[in-house]
Amino acid sequence: MWQWFVDVLRAHPAIAVFLSLAIGYVVGKLSYKGIGLGAVTGTLLTALVVGQLDIVISNDVRSIFFLIFLFAIGYSVGPQFVQGVAKNGLPQAAFTIVVCVLCLGVAWLCARIAGYNVGFAAGLFAGSNTISSALALSVDAIEQIGKPPEETNALVNAVPTAFAMTYIFGTIGATLIIALLGPKLLGINLVEACKAYEIKMGARANHGGHSSAWHQFIARSYRILPDSSFIGQTALRVEASYRHKQFFVERLRRDNAIFDVKADTVLQAGDVIAVAGERGDILQQLGHSLEEVEDRELLDVRIEGVDVLLTNRHFDGKTLSELAKLPVTRGIFLRRIRRGATGVDIPILPATELHRGDVLTVYGRPQDISAAVSTFGRADRSSDETDIGFVAGAIVIGALVGTLVWHIGSVPITLSSSGGVLIAGIVAGWLRAVHPTFGNVPPAAGWLMNSLGLNMFIATVGLSSGPSFVAGAEQLGASLFLWGMVATALPLILSLYIGRYLFRFDDAILLGCCAGARASTATLGMLTERAGSQVPALGFTVTCAVGNTLLTIGGIIIVMLMR
């Protein structure tokens, strides 16, 4: 039976690939206290084990899925990458460049001191920085060096060996150093730092740092008494008179007739008004000056919610407090801001800046929602259909551009087809964010392209490298693990001090910047959990987009340096 199974896998290597994926994803989900191997490491380890059966698989399969993955990663980071490099995220982008240079430089130095060849060096860099996409680019770059086939295969097989030996501490170490050791090294009380930052950004101290909405929505009905200061004033003037509170007069009952209130509607004695806003504001400011009444018909306001994709460049970089003063935001309640490919939740504070490509979850009356959507961008009601023609065309153009070779003196310079597709993905993602009429890749499809593309590549590399993995692990396993610890820890510790003393980031976002520069989503999750706030995410989105891209390209650079 066993021999039959082995023979089937050798005759049908596609079965071996999917076997590696099936077991690898299960293994990757195993975790201890929130820290796990992840699908990439699970798939690689499984493929290396299955590869001991001498499975031969075509490199063409690897190349196809590799290009799909590179496009997906570029598409996902495109908007935030451009935002960071081109506009107000420049300090965070500059910090990320410094961190990525440190990560690359330390990994290169460790490899040189240890005497590793280019394959082990590339795997050390990718694994210690947990950047799986760099592994893929390194393999592609090694194959283009022009070495004899046997030597090339040996170098390629060394990459996943070193990656597997260094990835585990790369994952755990980044989280421990940034989220646990970082605050102690720098003397940061993360909870208090985030509370102070929220107050500096316009939050009220009594909110305890847990504000969950721009305008938190409840509705109450009140009768305007004869001696009320509301008499003779417009609805807009009444709302504006409570400068630090947020509520809106939505409807009113007058002479048994109910109608919607506009900004210029003048209020009269005896009117019964429906007021929507934050519970504390309404009860504190109106509960003592007006008579609350029960009027279910008046409060029966049709409310709808919609996700709005911000595309209007006029509002790029505007703060929520600036937008709250606009007539078009009257009656609109902001419940959530998501940013970047992973949909990172951004804290809703008066001084929070919006970026093009942000997705805003808003609630309000249909007429108010319609006006807001047309002003800010468009409703994010993307279909489930992927624009395959756009995706394939972008991959073709990127790959063709990447094959071009420029010469600086006698030195040939090329992006390679892989680098070209990555850049094409970045451009495509940015274009989709600012012109969302074409190039749709739904989040679920993007995740599938990213995850399946990468892990299919990892599975084929692991299967091909299986026979040489044991020998490499026996020869350099302990050495690789220890040098991987150095390559992981040293850049992260240095980045903490560089971010604080050179770039002078606020303590509340500093650790988020460090996590983003290393593209460590797991670390951000631990930071926000320990802080009890989403403030660290303000330092994550731009740095993650730039860091993910630069560390990926680092897979090519480490090969060039080691040559």
Side-chain angles (χ1 to χ4, degrees), residues 72-82 341 422 425-426 429 544-546 548-549:
I73 198 74
Y75 186 92
S76 66
V77 304
Q80 292 307 310
F81 181 86
V82 174
L422 177 65
I426 292 174
C544 182
V546 177
N548 207 341
T549 303

Side-chain angles (χ1 to χ4, degrees), residues 229-432:
S229 60
F230 285 17
I231 298 174
Q233 296 196 56
T234 64
L236 182 62
R237 185 175 181 84
V238 167
E239 295 161 359
S241 64
Y242 293 90
R243 192 176 164 192
H244 298 292
K245 311 296 178 184
Q246 292 290 351
F247 58 82
F248 303 102
V249 182
E250 299 276 17
R251 306 175 86 197
L252 70 78
R253 179 189 293 275
R254 180 180 297 165
D255 299 329
N256 291 323
I258 296 177
F259 55 90
D260 292 331
V261 172
K262 298 180 180 179
D264 58 355
T265 300
V266 178
L267 305 180
Q268 301 177 8
D271 287 348
V272 178
I273 57 175
V275 182
E278 187 176 330
R279 177 185 178 87
D281 289 345
I282 292 178
L283 296 180
Q284 180 182 354
Q285 300 299 322
L286 304 182
H288 304 295
S289 59
L290 300 176
E291 177 188 2
E292 185 170 8
V293 297
E294 181 72 20
D295 194 331
R296 293 187 178 182
E297 185 182 7
L298 181 66
L299 294 178
D300 186 18
V301 181
R302 182 188 169 197
I303 299 295
E304 70 174 20
V306 67
D307 289 336
V308 181
L309 179 65
L310 182 63
T311 60
N312 191 329
R313 69 179 63 190
H314 177 72
F315 299 109
D316 187 22
K318 298 291 185 181
T319 65
L320 295 184
S321 61
E322 291 175 313
L323 298 182
K325 298 174 184 177
L326 300 177
V328 73
T329 63
R330 182 179 179 274
I332 298 297
F333 297 84
L334 178 63
R335 305 292 298 197
R336 189 181 185 191
I337 304 173
R338 286 172 292 151
R339 179 173 298 164
T342 55
V344 174
D345 283 309
I346 301 299
I348 299 175
L349 301 167
T352 297
E353 292 185 358
L354 296 182
H355 298 165
R356 290 176 80 182
D358 284 352
V359 177
L360 316 178
T361 301
V362 296
Y363 288 85
R365 297 180 300 180
Q367 60 268 37
D368 295 331
I369 290 292
S370 178
V373 168
S374 62
T375 300
F376 290 109
R378 57 177 291 164
D380 188 26
R381 298 189 180 101
S382 301
S383 70
D384 295 331
E385 183 178 343
T386 301
D387 191 344
I388 296 295
F390 174 82
V391 171
I395 291 175
V396 169
I397 293 173
L400 289 175
V401 172
T403 59
L404 299 177
V405 179
W406 294 269
H407 287 83
I408 300 179
S410 59
V411 179
I413 302 295
T414 179
L415 290 172
S416 79
S417 59
S418 305
V421 171
L422 177 65
I423 293 175
I426 292 174
V427 174
W430 175 75
L431 287 174
R432 171 65 186 176

Side-chain angles (χ1 to χ4, degrees), residues 22-46:
I23 299 175
Y25 270 81
V26 173
V27 172
K29 289 181 178 180
L30 301 177
S31 64
Y32 177 72
K33 293 185 177 181
I35 300 175
L37 294 176
V40 173
T41 306
T43 300
L44 177 60
L45 293 176
T46 304

Side-chain angles (χ1 to χ4, degrees), residues 111-174:
R112 298 294 288 187
I113 294 175
Y116 294 152
N117 62 33
V118 62
F120 285 118
L124 171 68
F125 167 72
S128 63
N129 292 289
T130 61
I131 191 75
S132 308
S133 51
L135 178 148
L137 278 176
S138 293
V139 169
D140 189 50
I142 290 172
E143 291 178 335
Q144 297 183 36
I145 291 178
K147 299 277 188 181
E150 290 186 1
E151 185 177 353
T152 297
N153 288 335
L155 293 175
V156 167
N157 292 339
V159 178
T161 300
F163 180 85
M165 291 295 175
T166 56
Y167 186 92
I168 296 176
F169 183 80
T171 300
I172 299 173

